[in-house]
Amino acid sequence: MHIFVLFVCQVKVLYVRNLKTDVTEAMLRAAFEAHGVVEKVKKVKDYGFVHFADRESALAALDALNGTVILSSYYYECLSVDFMYDSNVE
């Protein structure tokens, strides 16, 4: 099996886009931890990363939250959630 496929099958970090400035790391944690143990959350401007303890929880969160809406102070925003991986891995 190609090493990239093996690597991708182990990824436990989700990349979250379309975050508004008033969405906090605590808000992200609350939304994602309903699907499993969240080890770390990091928000950077309009995107963030959610680190799960296991891949199964990350998959559950991805399935449940991709395309859903998170409440912002001003309006609702549709989240875009995907696995985080380095495309340079061979």
Side-chain angles (χ1 to χ4, degrees):
M1 186 176 281
H2 195 274
I3 193 165
F4 180 72
V5 174
L6 292 173
F7 173 76
V8 170
C9 290
Q10 298 175 24
V11 175
K12 304 180 293 184
V13 181
L14 296 179
Y15 172 58
V16 186
R17 293 183 303 226
N18 297 341
L19 299 176
K20 295 302 170 199
T21 55
D22 60 333
V23 173
T24 65
E25 289 179 357
M27 292 169 72
L28 283 176
R29 180 178 290 277
F32 282 84
E33 70 185 357
H35 304 284
V37 177
V38 173
E39 295 180 330
K40 180 180 175 183
V41 175
K42 180 66 179 168
K43 181 177 183 266
V44 183
K45 297 186 181 183
D46 61 347
Y47 63 95
F49 304 94
V50 180
H51 299 248
F52 279 90
D54 58 78
R55 182 169 172 84
E56 293 75 23
S57 297
L59 279 168
L62 178 113
D63 289 341
L65 296 174
N66 189 38
T68 62
V69 174
I70 189 168
L71 179 60
S72 172
S73 292
Y74 303 105
Y75 49 86
Y76 292 94
E77 185 62 42
C78 187
L79 295 180
S80 176
V81 182
D82 201 355
F83 276 105
M84 182 65 205
Y85 63 90
D86 183 353
S87 61
N88 294 321
V89 174
E90 295 184 21

